[in-house]
Amino acid sequence: MQFLTREGAGPWLRTYHRGGAPRVRLLCFPFAGGSASMFRGWPALLPAHMAVEAVVLPGREKRLREPPIDRMDVLVAALVAALRPRLDLPYALFGYSFGAQVSFNLAHALRDAGLPDPLGLFVAASAGPSELCDVPGLNETDEELIAYMRALGGTSADVLGNPGLLELTLPALRADLTAVAALPYAARPALNVPIHSFSGEADPTSARPSLMAAWDRETTGGFTQTVFPGGHFFIDHALSDLVLAVRRDLDRLMAEE
């Protein structure tokens, strides 16, 4: 099956879609140091009316020459401006690990700007903001960050064993981790948006299921938690089940509109 891939919202989005007129957009945010291409296989698991729009952050892919952003407030402000034209349809936010924190802060910023709320917020492999701790990035050496990548899994041996690829990867990884590590938790009025969290039962990081349950504190719109077998990158073997859960939620939320 062929899918359309195109740039959208300037350099910030890559759209993966079967074609035709979408009725809902799923705006997706990758893990720290990750790229939009992690979502390229999602349209095969979703109906044609759901368009996957993956965020391309500075410092990777076609934006490799741009300096990565290491401040969450700066990143979110840029995303609000870039994504505003994409809010013409109902939409939801999905974030994996670092991307979960970005999507959460973005949801608050969009609300503060008087823009439409997302139908739902899907967060994976990242503790609830009030429980987030032990995030590296501020003081670690390159060697320590590489060891962190290796311990989490999810990074191919080709990258870990190639100094040239690591040299390209590490600045974005460090910036993303720093954006989260340097952001103090501040209690804010809860979102009125359903949150569905996904975690790996054996995740060795602060994204273990007991800490991901803290996402319940961030919404008055209802909370669901799903735990999959596996570690931090459970998505590597549970992608179909993960996307199916997102699809079911979106179908229900669209029917309630």
Side-chain angles (χ1 to χ4, degrees):
M1 183 179 295
Q2 296 296 313
F3 302 110
L4 299 177
T5 302
R6 63 175 178 80
E7 306 304 317
W12 285 93
L13 284 178
R14 179 168 297 137
T15 299
Y16 300 106
H17 185 223
R18 293 188 187 186
R23 300 205 307 271
V24 63
R25 305 187 197 279
L26 182 60
L27 303 176
C28 298
F29 301 80
F31 53 84
S35 65
S37 62
M38 72 172 285
F39 300 106
R40 65 181 179 273
W42 286 41
L45 304 170
L46 292 169
H49 66 271
M50 294 182 183
V52 175
E53 304 209 351
V55 171
V56 182
L57 297 175
R60 61 215 85 192
E61 298 180 293
K62 291 186 177 181
R63 307 186 70 182
L64 189 61
R65 295 183 181 274
E66 299 178 46
I69 299 173
D70 64 1
R71 285 180 49 188
M72 185 66 76
D73 58 341
V74 174
L75 175 57
V76 167
L79 285 167
V80 170
L83 299 180
R84 186 184 292 260
R86 312 306 290 170
L87 308 185
D88 57 328
L89 293 177
Y91 72 98
L93 303 174
F94 176 94
Y96 202 94
S97 194
F98 160 73
Q101 300 301 321
V102 176
S103 60
F104 168 70
N105 282 280
L106 176 62
H108 273 281
L110 292 171
R111 181 182 68 179
D112 293 346
L115 294 167
D117 286 334
L119 293 176
L121 174 60
F122 301 99
V123 291
S126 189
S130 63
E131 297 292 339
L132 198 63
C133 60
D134 300 326
V135 179
L138 293 177
N139 302 307
E140 284 73 17
T141 64
D142 286 353
E143 291 72 22
E144 288 170 328
L145 285 183
I146 292 168
Y148 176 74
M149 294 166 67
R150 185 174 285 111
L152 285 186
T155 304
S156 72
D158 291 341
V159 172
L160 291 172
N162 187 316
L165 290 177
L166 283 172
E167 185 177 357
L168 295 175
T169 302
L170 284 175
L173 173 67
R174 184 182 295 280
D176 292 351
L177 293 173
T178 297
V180 176
L183 183 69
Y185 177 72
R188 292 177 276 188
L191 298 168
N192 186 24
V193 174
I195 295 180
H196 193 154
S197 79
F198 303 92
S199 55
E201 63 180 359
D203 194 320
T205 72
S206 60
R208 57 188 179 273
S210 60
L211 296 182
M212 288 204 65
W215 283 103
D216 189 26
R217 304 171 192 165
E218 306 300 334
T219 183
T220 60
F223 174 70
T224 305
Q225 182 172 18
T226 298
V227 180
F228 291 108
H232 192 71
F233 284 97
F234 64 86
I235 192 173
D236 289 345
H237 60 265
L239 178 62
S240 294
D241 290 336
L242 170 63
V243 178
L244 178 60
V246 171
R247 173 183 176 170
R248 286 173 172 165
D249 276 9
L250 282 179
D251 280 338
R252 175 179 54 79
L253 293 167
M254 289 174 67
E256 294 173 356
E257 277 287 284

